Amino acid sequence: MRPAIIGPGALGTMLAVKMAGAGPVLVDHYPERAAALDASPLVLEEDGRETACRVRVSAAPPPSSFDFVVITVKSHSVAAALERADEIVRPEGLVLCLANGIGHLDLLRKRQGPGACAAGVTAMGATLIRPGRARFGGAGETVIGPVSNREERKPLEAAAELFARAGMRVRVSPDIEVEIWKKLLVNVGINGLTAIHGCRNGEIAESPELAARLAAAVREAAAVAARLGVAVEGDPVEVALAVCRRTADNISSMLQDVRRGKRTEIREINGEIVRLAASLGLDAPVNREIVEKVTALEAAAGSHPPESS
Ligand code: PAF
């Protein structure tokens, strides 16, 4: 099963090193950066060790030649990454999108390209130290599942096997929408607040005031999920606070983006809750305020246009 990974960000770089044994190609849409990355090994820092692997990095991978294409770009770049995936996947292959947020699910469902299509979420943490060098931020489960009931299980199971061989904890779910909502509810609570307050994830759980903001944002999002008929088990506020404690030292991906002056995923995370709430006749004032504050931070930082991962 020949894999390609689209997006040389933290997750893409980590996957490329972990899957190096399967001979992946890492796809970067910037030709100059692709050439520079191709010239030296990719490095993954993990528990004080470094793994360096030669992985092919290309801005122009050959068409129709991959059995498994994993999209790891930021949610605002999924549409462009899907076009690239459609060009390079084999007709009997699989395209898997691991983006944050929920909006991309509609894009995947409407996709007409070759091969099967799946979505997934991962709780594995990664930080990009610089292009070509990522730091593993903690183990976590990766869940993948079909985006429509037309898809066959076979390519998904082969993909899960490849991830497992790369040392990842992976599960195939028949209801990926619920899994995506579970992750979205965590990101709704943590990402915007850490970006606004410039704090590590753990500081939210430690501050009664920030924990209350998290709870209010997550409850608004859970009300949207409930109105859409998405049944998320357990108390999503407790789940989000537990993730804050488990990833206490992490700098969230959104805070990393703000610090680098990159466009954040605020529109696709809290912004999507505001949009969905409005379409359902609900209000989401806490999420709206989070969106406004993060958008102001982006503007102050002069955030760059969308970029892969
Ligand atoms: O986006 C992130 O950084 C992660 O999803 C999470 C769970 C907030 C941990 O940092």
Side-chain angles (χ1 to χ4, degrees):
M1 202 183 194
R2 190 176 182 211
I5 300 154
I6 301 184
L11 180 60
T13 304
M14 175 174 73
L15 288 182
V17 173
K18 286 193 173 285
M19 289 160 70
V25 171
L26 180 60
V27 182
D28 184 352
H29 67 152
Y30 290 120
E32 276 173 27
R33 189 174 61 187
L37 291 174
D38 194 50
S40 10
L42 298 180
V43 180
L44 181 65
E45 300 176 6
E46 188 171 351
D47 301 330
R49 292 181 282 116
E50 278 190 8
T51 311
C53 291
R54 284 314 286 248
V55 170
R56 191 79 235 280
V57 185
S58 171
S64 306
S65 39
F66 297 92
D67 309 291
F68 181 30
V69 179
V70 191
I71 296 177
T72 66
V73 299
K74 294 283 186 194
S75 41
H76 39 258
S77 301
V78 167
L82 259 180
E83 278 179 28
R84 175 48 66 93
D86 288 353
E87 285 162 21
I88 64 174
V89 71
R90 287 204 170 117
E92 66 284 5
L94 173 74
V95 175
L96 168 69
C97 181
L98 292 178
N100 280 331
I102 187 90
H104 62 282
L105 207 47
D106 268 350
L107 279 178
L108 299 180
R109 285 186 177 133
K110 288 186 194 134
R111 176 182 174 268
Q112 304 277 319
C117 191
V121 285
T122 183
M124 283 196 310
T127 307
L128 192 67
I129 308 299
R130 59 171 183 268
R133 175 178 283 262
R135 183 175 297 147
F136 183 63
E141 191 180 45
T142 299
V143 188
I144 62 177
V147 293
S148 78
N149 46 20
R150 282 179 289 116
E151 314 289 3
E152 287 176 49
R153 273 190 81 84
K154 249 170 97 186
L156 266 168
E157 274 158 11
E161 217 179 289
L162 200 147
F163 275 165
R165 272 203 305 274
M168 293 163 57
R169 198 144 49 82
V170 59
R171 175 165 63 86
V172 177
S173 162
D175 198 347
I176 198 63
E177 188 173 359
V178 170
E179 304 295 336
I180 288 177
W181 267 100
K182 282 196 219 161
K183 177 149 193 213
L184 181 62
L185 291 171
V186 168
N187 290 139
V188 158
I190 300 177
N191 294 36
L193 288 179
T194 50
I196 293 164
H197 296 278
C199 65
R200 290 182 188 265
N201 297 351
E203 290 173 61
I204 295 188
E206 279 164 18
S207 151
E209 195 192 315
L210 291 182
R213 292 306 278 169
L214 172 145
V218 172
R219 280 200 199 100
E220 286 178 2
V224 169
R227 276 290 282 278
L228 290 172
V230 179
V232 179
E233 278 171 23
D235 178 352
V237 173
E238 279 314 312
V239 172
L241 287 171
V243 173
C244 285
R245 294 186 200 102
R246 204 171 56 238
T247 62
D249 287 334
N250 270 31
I251 308 280
S252 78
S253 51
M254 198 170 287
L255 178 54
Q256 290 180 47
D257 287 343
V258 165
R259 286 184 173 167
R260 288 203 199 108
K262 280 176 70 176
R263 178 182 159 146
T264 72
E265 295 185 304
I266 195 68
R267 297 157 193 80
E268 292 77 17
I269 297 179
N270 304 75
E272 190 62 13
I273 299 303
V274 175
R275 197 187 64 75
L276 287 171
S279 74
L280 295 163
L282 298 171
D283 197 11
V286 177
N287 280 280
R288 196 166 44 241
E289 191 190 315
I290 292 174
V291 174
E292 283 164 8
K293 288 190 170 162
V294 175
T295 318
L297 285 176
E298 284 180 337
S303 89
H304 305 314
E307 202 188 298
S308 283
S309 257

